Amino acid sequence: MKTEGHPDYHMITVKMTDGTEFQTRSTWGKEGDVLALDIDPLSHPAWTGGKQQVSEGGRVAQFNKRFGGLTLKK
């Protein structure tokens, strides 16, 4: 295996939103850097079962708002 074609793989610290930390290997940053997460499985609604934010202003919603009352009946 060629050594110059691969990224540096080293130990970093990952800090969760509640302050807990764990060590893992990564190509992110430099040896010993701390990766602070903004969203993780402890706080994201998809994992916690909390209220999910639904996009109410999407293209389909705009179409239905504008043309929702139209029908093909005479």
Side-chain angles (χ1 to χ4, degrees):
M1 178 163 64
K2 295 181 182 179
T3 58
E4 66 272 358
H6 299 279
D8 180 33
Y9 198 55
H10 49 271
M11 294 298 290
I12 65 165
T13 302
V14 178
K15 185 174 183 180
M16 306 288 268
T17 55
D18 67 346
T20 58
E21 297 179 351
F22 65 92
Q23 297 280 325
T24 188
R25 293 181 57 172
S26 176
T27 58
W28 179 86
K30 299 178 300 240
E31 179 80 28
D33 281 353
V34 176
L35 175 62
L37 299 178
D38 294 332
I39 298 174
D40 63 12
L42 301 174
S43 64
H44 194 278
W47 289 290
T48 60
K51 181 180 176 186
Q52 296 182 1
Q53 296 177 349
V54 177
S55 174
E56 296 177 3
R59 302 289 289 166
V60 174
Q62 289 176 357
F63 179 86
N64 287 336
K65 182 179 176 184
R66 188 170 179 186
F67 301 109
L70 298 179
T71 61
L72 295 176
K73 297 179 183 176
K74 292 182 180 182

